[in-house]
PDB file of all heavy atoms in Angstrom:
ATOM      1  N   VAL B   6      29.393 -10.976 -38.519  1.00  0.00           N
ATOM      2  CA  VAL B   6      28.597 -10.015 -37.765  1.00  0.00           C
ATOM      3  C   VAL B   6      28.246 -10.631 -36.413  1.00  0.00           C
ATOM      4  O   VAL B   6      27.653 -11.710 -36.365  1.00  0.00           O
ATOM      5  CB  VAL B   6      27.310  -9.614 -38.508  1.00  0.00           C
ATOM      6  CG1 VAL B   6      26.493  -8.625 -37.676  1.00  0.00           C
ATOM      7  CG2 VAL B   6      27.639  -9.020 -39.875  1.00  0.00           C
ATOM      8  N   SER B   7      28.633  -9.967 -35.347  1.00  0.00           N
ATOM      9  CA  SER B   7      28.248 -10.403 -34.001  1.00  0.00           C
ATOM     10  C   SER B   7      27.314  -9.371 -33.402  1.00  0.00           C
ATOM     11  O   SER B   7      27.703  -8.231 -33.176  1.00  0.00           O
ATOM     12  CB  SER B   7      29.478 -10.549 -33.106  1.00  0.00           C
ATOM     13  OG  SER B   7      30.372 -11.509 -33.631  1.00  0.00           O
ATOM     14  N   PHE B   8      26.068  -9.787 -33.184  1.00  0.00           N
ATOM     15  CA  PHE B   8      25.117  -8.918 -32.483  1.00  0.00           C
ATOM     16  C   PHE B   8      25.417  -9.091 -30.993  1.00  0.00           C
ATOM     17  O   PHE B   8      25.268 -10.205 -30.458  1.00  0.00           O
ATOM     18  CB  PHE B   8      23.679  -9.324 -32.789  1.00  0.00           C
ATOM     19  CG  PHE B   8      23.324  -9.190 -34.240  1.00  0.00           C
ATOM     20  CD1 PHE B   8      23.408 -10.279 -35.103  1.00  0.00           C
ATOM     21  CD2 PHE B   8      22.924  -7.972 -34.747  1.00  0.00           C
ATOM     22  CE1 PHE B   8      23.089 -10.144 -36.449  1.00  0.00           C
ATOM     23  CE2 PHE B   8      22.598  -7.820 -36.097  1.00  0.00           C
ATOM     24  CZ  PHE B   8      22.679  -8.916 -36.943  1.00  0.00           C
ATOM     25  N   VAL B   9      25.864  -8.048 -30.356  1.00  0.00           N
ATOM     26  CA  VAL B   9      26.331  -8.164 -28.974  1.00  0.00           C
ATOM     27  C   VAL B   9      25.495  -7.288 -28.052  1.00  0.00           C
ATOM     28  O   VAL B   9      25.327  -6.094 -28.292  1.00  0.00           O
ATOM     29  CB  VAL B   9      27.816  -7.752 -28.861  1.00  0.00           C
ATOM     30  CG1 VAL B   9      28.266  -7.713 -27.391  1.00  0.00           C
ATOM     31  CG2 VAL B   9      28.705  -8.707 -29.669  1.00  0.00           C
ATOM     32  N   GLY B  10      24.994  -7.906 -26.985  1.00  0.00           N
ATOM     33  CA  GLY B  10      24.290  -7.134 -25.961  1.00  0.00           C
ATOM     34  C   GLY B  10      25.294  -6.494 -25.024  1.00  0.00           C
ATOM     35  O   GLY B  10      26.111  -7.185 -24.419  1.00  0.00           O
ATOM     36  N   ALA B  11      25.235  -5.178 -24.911  1.00  0.00           N
ATOM     37  CA  ALA B  11      26.184  -4.448 -24.057  1.00  0.00           C
ATOM     38  C   ALA B  11      25.714  -4.399 -22.618  1.00  0.00           C
ATOM     39  O   ALA B  11      26.428  -3.942 -21.742  1.00  0.00           O
ATOM     40  CB  ALA B  11      26.379  -3.030 -24.584  1.00  0.00           C
ATOM     41  N   GLY B  12      24.492  -4.884 -22.364  1.00  0.00           N
ATOM     42  CA  GLY B  12      23.895  -4.699 -21.040  1.00  0.00           C
ATOM     43  C   GLY B  12      23.398  -3.282 -20.895  1.00  0.00           C
ATOM     44  O   GLY B  12      23.491  -2.472 -21.823  1.00  0.00           O
ATOM     45  N   PRO B  13      22.838  -2.968 -19.726  1.00  0.00           N
ATOM     46  CA  PRO B  13      22.338  -1.593 -19.496  1.00  0.00           C
ATOM     47  C   PRO B  13      23.505  -0.650 -19.189  1.00  0.00           C
ATOM     48  O   PRO B  13      24.647  -0.995 -19.457  1.00  0.00           O
ATOM     49  CB  PRO B  13      21.419  -1.766 -18.302  1.00  0.00           C
ATOM     50  CG  PRO B  13      21.983  -2.925 -17.564  1.00  0.00           C
ATOM     51  CD  PRO B  13      22.664  -3.834 -18.568  1.00  0.00           C
ATOM     52  N   GLY B  14      23.243   0.497 -18.632  1.00  0.00           N
ATOM     53  CA  GLY B  14      24.218   1.592 -18.511  1.00  0.00           C
ATOM     54  C   GLY B  14      25.581   1.322 -17.912  1.00  0.00           C
ATOM     55  O   GLY B  14      26.544   1.995 -18.247  1.00  0.00           O
ATOM     56  N   ASP B  15      25.677   0.350 -17.018  1.00  0.00           N
ATOM     57  CA  ASP B  15      26.933   0.095 -16.334  1.00  0.00           C
ATOM     58  C   ASP B  15      27.886  -0.699 -17.236  1.00  0.00           C
ATOM     59  O   ASP B  15      27.573  -1.823 -17.641  1.00  0.00           O
ATOM     60  CB  ASP B  15      26.625  -0.715 -15.062  1.00  0.00           C
ATOM     61  CG  ASP B  15      27.839  -0.991 -14.204  1.00  0.00           C
ATOM     62  OD1 ASP B  15      28.974  -0.829 -14.707  1.00  0.00           O
ATOM     63  OD2 ASP B  15      27.666  -1.394 -13.054  1.00  0.00           O
TER      64      ASP B  15
END
Side-chain angles (χ1 to χ4, degrees):
Chain B
V6 179
S7 300
F8 298 95
V9 173
D15 183 345

